[in-house]
Amino acid sequence: MGSKIRRSFSDREELLAKPKAFANDTSRASIDSYQSIDSSYPEYGKEPKWYKSSAADASGFKKYKNGKITLKRICLGTVAGVVVLVSVLAASGVVYTTYFGPEKWESEGWYPSPKGGTVKNWEGSYKKAAKLVCQMSLVEKVNITTGTGWAQEMCVGNTGSVPGLFPSLCLQDGPLGLRFADHATAWPAGLTVGATWNKELMEKRGELHGLEARLKGIHIILGPAMGPLGRMPAGGRNWEGFGSDPYLQGAAAAATIKGIQGQGVIATAKHFIANEQEHFRQVHEWGMPYAISSNIDDRTMHEMYLWPFADSVRAGVGSIMCSYQMTNNTYSCGNSKILNGLLKDELGFQGFVQSDWLAQRSGVDSVLAGLDMTMPGDGMVWADGNSLMGPTLTRSVLNSSIPIERLNDMATRIVATWYQMGQDDESKFSPEGPNFSSWTDEEEGLLHFGSGEGETGVVNKFIDVSSDHHKVARKIAAEATVLVKNEDSVLPLVRGSWGGKRVGIYGEDAGPGKGANVCKDRGCNQGTLASGWGSGAVEFPYLVDPLSALLKAFNTSKDDIPEISSILDNYSLKKIRKSAKEQDLCLVFANADAGEGFISDLGVAGDRNDLYAQKGGDELVKTVAESCGGPVIVVIHSVGPVIVENWADKPAVKAIIMAQLPGQESGNALVDVLFGDENPSGKLPYTVGKSLKDYGPTAGIMYIPNSIRPQQNFSEGLLVDYRYFDKNDINPRYEFGFGLSYTSFEFSDLKLTAKAPKTALPARRPDGLDPPAYDNKLPPISETLYPKGFNRVKKYIYPYLESADEVRHDGDYPYPRDYHTARQPSPAGGGEGGNPSLWDVIVEVEVTVKNTGKLDGKEVAQLYVSLPNSVEGAPVKALRGFEKVALGAGESKKITFGVTRKELSWWDTERQNWILPTEGKIGISVGRSSRDLPLYAEF
């Protein structure tokens, strides 16, 4: 997306010789001799001796029991590294057992990669794309699949372009706003959006987020996030997703995607798949030679972790980002089972798969496994200019290691997605590209920042794209505020009753701290917490802290101004105790922060160390609760559930608010709820237990690796969050879906109407359209060489080869095991998201909700399904529908749910399909939370 390309598309041949036309690698060895480093086997096609044979089930996942690695199989350097690690741990007093897990899992191969262009919704875009791709040379096709290198253009990721045909695409974080961009909204985080349980607000946030991206010249937003799902409540990036339930995640993701893509911007569903903790997620990030492996059985994969991605694909998502860690011992961006088999075949995904930044861990193998675009272009090391695609992809196609039809499909998927969003409309997407720089706040700077040299020019135009979006941001933050305790109706605070009284406000979280953006990528817990940290965070244009908003809210008239004291410190307990005794009302603020694993703060290395409030928050709250002369209101800002057992039952604690991560309008939204301008309607998108133990034996973060290649078996299966509590009859402090209001609601008149017969299997998989066909003839090698006089930019990634000698044929490429094994299309596939008949409504559920109180308010009707006892391993109940309804005092409304075949089914690993139970009764429960379901019926 270099400036010269932006200025002119008139002379394509001239521009091909310009440094900004393509992305470049010149130093990597020929791909035809490059072995996949993510292979679970030392020799392709041969089973290692440390594995005991075990038959694979029909899922394509093999489970090897009692596997043990012999040291002869491990390189001495790796052994030395582990010895050092063990020694360090031993010196620290940590008991460490070298252990390779009781079970060893591996994904089987699924080839070839299914081609795009097989569904009706994308037919027109694929026809246009085929015509355009037909005009591209081999290196041009390679160029649009490869990033230009870290910081080489204006965005966090940029593809190469084809001058006169196809622009460089700008990819930008993230899920809660535009990272590194100026004059844009810092939205409430995904978890906060999930807590609204409001599909309209979910879509509206996506729409305005997409609009801001388009106005900044961004083609692809790296969000929404639905992985991690929240299997471990202390997971560092749980806050980027929408909650700890696959249905809630899927519904929120689909609504967000519709909003973003309605603006013509490509949404990215991430992280695919099972990226559930930050510890050991990347090679070398934790000093480990391998990333952690998330080991998941087929049924759990479908009913839990794949579910929200299926909803995203059904919503038409244009891109999916594969994750860093291994899935069943194969790196996710090179895992053919999950990319080719599950995503492209079964879910019928028509867009393109992009890697997380440096998550690609192999060359040929990853491309064959279904990876379509590598980001940011660099291969194994940040900003080194060496790519696992770029010229290596050019070579691998020329020497036939990769079929040219695979490259054609990669390019076609990218171009078709561009057309599908209408990005060929230059009135909406200017060929000038992005109008901001991710790398400098100055108006002028290097056009290729990552090179450290070369041309300069205007890189920031400081265009304000936020408009009045703060109103929607404030509304979302207010509707996501969850009131979990309100004894004696201490809330809402009544205006006009505070003259002459004293109010104390305590805790660092109530104030501005050192400034909202003082730490890079929000990587520190200071001041009020409104976002987690990492690549999913953004620069705050401003941040309204609670104290500022409260001072303004109490200052409504001369006769109603209380005497307000504030101590914005968690540790001055003696001072706080003395002050609190003098107050008629105390508000105390505590929080818990976390984020992406490349940042550590206060001993929190991405994932939280526990589920308690941080920075002495518990002692702070206890001190205020034991000292205040009046009622105490506790406000918690957090990245997930916080254990409140140390103080929740203190007599003075009359109200507790879980305010999540509210974004830039934090204080204003909180005041709206405290004073009743907004009747609280938020519901918990997770369960608040009484201890971490309540969540189950596998819910804890793996802080210490259990082997050289850490193994994390998802042995709890479907029993995550409230499902585990239900199955084991554990009473939570506050259940999933719980939240109070200032009014009251009544549920009645449950009615079930069958809309289709209960047949076990969905309809036969429908036939798809024929994908585009190309002339698969290889071009002369001479067409792929650097043009004479080509002026290269340092570390910029180009697709050209240095010489024809790079293309060697040293024998047959050692293809991954199962590469030549034909796979049958999944019977559960045939449309976007899966077999279209899975969305047939089987039963219609009608309920009446009445506001029985004296105030207007909103209630969330939640529908849960209980499968018959004959379905082994099913949870007690699973969320399968929700609707938020606004009701005036005394008003009633009917709500109708259409419950689909998939929502009533379970995944059968033998038949490889969704099965609707035809024997026994299916239970339908409706109510206000997962533990408060007054209506029940069977059919």
Side-chain angles (χ1 to χ4, degrees), residues 22 51 380 417 577 803 833 906:
F22 284 120
Y51 286 142
M380 300 292 188
T417 305
R577 186 177 292 110
S803 72
W906 60 282

Side-chain angles (χ1 to χ4, degrees), residues 91-292:
S92 303
V94 178
V95 177
Y96 180 86
T97 302
T98 303
Y99 145 80
F100 288 87
E103 298 177 331
K104 191 77 176 178
W105 295 74
E106 187 185 49
S107 272
E108 288 191 338
W110 205 106
Y111 303 96
S113 185
K115 296 177 182 178
T118 58
V119 303
K120 189 69 177 176
N121 289 345
W122 288 66
E123 184 178 15
S125 296
Y126 266 88
K127 286 182 177 179
K128 293 178 183 177
K131 291 180 181 178
L132 191 147
V133 172
C134 278
Q135 301 175 57
M136 292 184 184
S137 67
L138 189 152
V139 290
E140 290 170 341
K141 295 170 189 174
V142 168
N143 206 43
I144 69 171
T145 70
T146 304
T148 59
W150 179 247
Q152 289 292 346
E153 294 287 355
M154 301 303 152
C155 304
V156 296
N158 303 267
T159 65
S161 68
V162 180
L165 285 182
F166 194 73
S168 172
L169 301 180
C170 164
L171 299 86
Q172 196 74 10
D173 295 302
L176 64 74
L178 306 179
R179 187 187 185 199
F180 299 151
D182 59 278
H183 295 89
T185 305
W187 295 97
L191 192 70
T192 312
V193 176
T196 69
W197 293 65
N198 186 327
K199 296 174 187 175
E200 291 183 4
L201 280 180
M202 293 168 180
E203 184 168 346
K204 187 65 176 178
R205 171 179 174 267
E207 175 190 330
L208 298 182
H209 186 19
L211 174 61
E212 291 187 4
R214 179 165 60 80
L215 294 177
K216 283 289 186 182
I218 295 166
H219 298 89
I220 303 165
I221 287 177
L222 304 179
M226 59 221 68
L229 178 72
R231 172 184 184 257
M232 289 164 282
R237 299 184 78 176
N238 291 354
W239 59 273
E240 294 185 35
F242 301 101
S244 301
D245 176 82
Y247 184 91
L248 177 60
Q249 285 262 26
T256 303
I257 289 163
K258 289 176 183 177
I260 292 172
Q261 296 192 163
Q263 290 296 314
V265 175
I266 300 167
T268 303
K270 65 177 191 178
H271 305 86
F272 194 74
I273 195 168
N275 187 178
E276 292 295 313
Q277 72 167 53
E278 291 302 285
H279 281 73
F280 321 124
R281 64 167 187 161
Q282 285 197 69
V283 175
H284 305 311
E285 190 174 55
W286 299 87
M288 297 294 292
Y290 297 98
I292 196 170

